[in-house]
Amino acid sequence: MISNSSKYAVKAVLYLALNSSESHKILAKDISSPTNIPKAYLAKVLQELSRHNIVSSVKGPGGGFYLSEDNKKIPIMKIIHVIDGDNRLTSCMLSLQECDEENPCPMHDLVGNTKVNFVKNLEQNTVEDLVEDIREGKSFLPL
Amino acid sequence: MISNSSKYAVKAVLYLALNSSESHKILAKDISSPTNIPKAYLAKVLQELSRHNIVSSVKGPGGGFYLSEDNKKIPIMKIIHVIDGDNRLTSCMLSLQECDEENPCPMHDLVGNTKVNFVKNLEQNTVEDLVEDIREGKSFLPL
DNA sequence: CATATAAAGGATAAAAATGTCTTTTAATCT
DNA sequence: AGATTAAAAGACATTTTTATCCTTTATATG
Ligand code: FES
Ligand code: FES
């Protein structure tokens, strides 16, 4: 569905959204521990996210990672897109060139519009939206 | 979502369902060509499917692979299960131990019931069912 | 300016998935 | 029985994903 790296990315971004601010930056290693993501690997993922302006970072003493207000408005889809590329989620289950209603493969109807809905949800929901759910106790960020 | 190997497996099984019978077996290489699956790799996949009685096979001259009537009644889920194991599809998007409504991770609701529905469809639809769709022109087996 | 801090970047390693090749086993046919 | 056919099995190669380590660059502070 989505790669391990994308899972790491989403978890890290949500952790930052919940626990950091521009005035309270967090070190890579301090995200690694509570989220159970290998430190060095997470650093790479954060690097990539930072390069694409999905998370904010500052080097040096007092530095670290955080989410700007703009960062929090980013749709979850963009995180996955940056890490996994753009056709991992939308591609056909049986590797047809295009996955659409006009030329469905035999498995297309088994997935139904579910895949399309999922992608739509990923595009419409921002980091902020998911954080709100967590704050309201509707969902839980796994450790 | 599902592995490449599973895609190969489903494609090969459907190809067999459409083109083979106990009296007309098909060689691995003759499935490989029309389905664009690497010959040697497909042989391995078929081997595994045969070991789990998902496809039937006979060695020697006049031998090959085919689907028995029983084979055709197998749910698609079983094919994926044999190749990918049982928790690739049902596992949590953020690697929580359990994926359920009681303790949803922040992404759980974005997937919604789509994943559950998909798995249900995979369990309820047999090889035969998908073949019927193809025969009726409702779907197309990709080459 | 010197030093410490922390991310960025590059190089490498380990594991898993994918793909290929060769040998063995079972079945058929002469 | 001997030869041929085709899957089963095992060994090996490549690629991708995941993970670790080391060096460099940027920033802050004394
Ligand atoms: S066409 Fe294959 S999943 Fe849509
Ligand atoms: S709990 Fe994470 S996807 Fe269901």
Side-chain angles (χ1 to χ4, degrees):
Chain A
M1 188 90 88
I2 66 176
S3 70
N4 234 306
S5 300
S6 273
K7 292 184 181 185
Y8 289 168
V10 171
K11 281 177 78 171
V13 167
L14 289 177
Y15 185 84
L16 281 172
L18 281 167
N19 301 106
S20 80
S21 65
E22 185 160 6
S23 58
H24 181 249
K25 306 184 184 68
I26 305 188
L27 307 188
K29 61 172 180 174
D30 292 332
I31 303 172
S32 162
S33 314
T35 55
N36 279 316
I37 303 172
K39 194 179 56 160
Y41 194 64
L42 172 64
K44 284 292 172 198
V45 171
L46 286 170
Q47 212 178 104
E48 188 77 10
L49 294 175
S50 175
R51 211 177 295 132
H52 287 85
N53 301 308
I54 290 171
V55 304
S56 303
S57 69
V58 173
K59 285 182 182 179
F65 294 92
Y66 68 99
L67 292 199
S68 68
E69 290 310 307
D70 275 3
N71 290 152
K72 291 180 188 169
K73 296 196 174 65
I74 289 175
I76 302 298
M77 190 62 200
K78 182 157 185 196
I79 302 173
I80 294 170
H81 184 269
V82 160
I83 303 293
D84 283 351
D86 57 354
N87 48 6
R88 176 156 182 155
L89 272 176
T90 54
S91 68
C92 164
M93 306 278 304
L94 293 183
S95 301
L96 253 168
Q97 297 85 339
E98 289 288 316
C99 168
D100 54 24
E101 288 297 324
E102 281 84 52
N103 234 40
C105 78
M107 290 191 74
H108 187 93
D109 281 355
L110 300 191
V111 204
N113 46 17
T114 63
K115 202 172 59 175
V116 177
N117 280 343
F118 179 44
V119 171
K120 198 192 296 171
N121 284 340
L122 288 173
E123 282 164 349
Q124 288 174 351
N125 281 272
T126 65
V127 173
E128 218 163 38
D129 295 332
L130 293 202
V131 166
E132 197 180 344
D133 285 351
I134 300 173
R135 288 231 166 87
E136 289 172 359
K138 289 183 190 167
S139 67
F140 309 90
L141 185 59
L143 302 188
Chain B
M1 186 92 86
I2 66 175
S3 70
N4 234 308
S5 301
S6 273
K7 292 185 182 188
Y8 290 167
V10 172
K11 282 177 78 171
V13 168
L14 290 177
Y15 185 84
L16 281 172
L18 283 166
N19 301 107
S20 80
S21 66
E22 186 159 5
S23 59
H24 180 248
K25 307 185 184 66
I26 306 188
L27 308 187
K29 60 172 182 174
D30 293 332
I31 304 172
S32 163
S33 315
T35 53
N36 279 315
I37 303 172
K39 193 179 56 157
Y41 195 63
L42 172 63
K44 284 292 172 197
V45 172
L46 285 171
Q47 211 178 104
E48 188 76 10
L49 294 176
S50 174
R51 210 176 297 133
H52 288 84
N53 301 309
I54 291 171
V55 304
S56 304
S57 69
V58 173
K59 286 182 181 179
F65 295 93
Y66 67 99
L67 294 198
S68 68
E69 290 311 307
D70 275 2
N71 291 153
K72 292 180 186 168
K73 295 198 174 66
I74 290 174
I76 302 298
M77 190 63 200
K78 182 156 184 197
I79 302 173
I80 294 171
H81 184 269
V82 160
I83 303 293
D84 283 351
D86 57 353
N87 48 6
R88 177 157 182 155
L89 272 176
T90 53
S91 70
C92 165
M93 307 276 305
L94 294 183
S95 301
L96 252 167
Q97 297 84 338
E98 288 288 316
C99 168
D100 53 25
E101 288 298 322
E102 282 84 53
N103 235 38
C105 78
M107 291 192 75
H108 187 94
D109 281 355
L110 300 191
V111 203
N113 47 17
T114 65
K115 204 171 58 176
V116 177
N117 279 344
F118 180 44
V119 170
K120 198 192 297 171
N121 285 339
L122 288 173
E123 282 165 349
Q124 288 175 350
N125 281 272
T126 64
V127 173
E128 218 164 39
D129 294 332
L130 293 201
V131 166
E132 198 180 346
D133 286 350
I134 300 172
R135 289 231 165 88
E136 289 173 359
K138 289 183 187 165
S139 67
F140 309 90
L141 185 60
L143 304 187

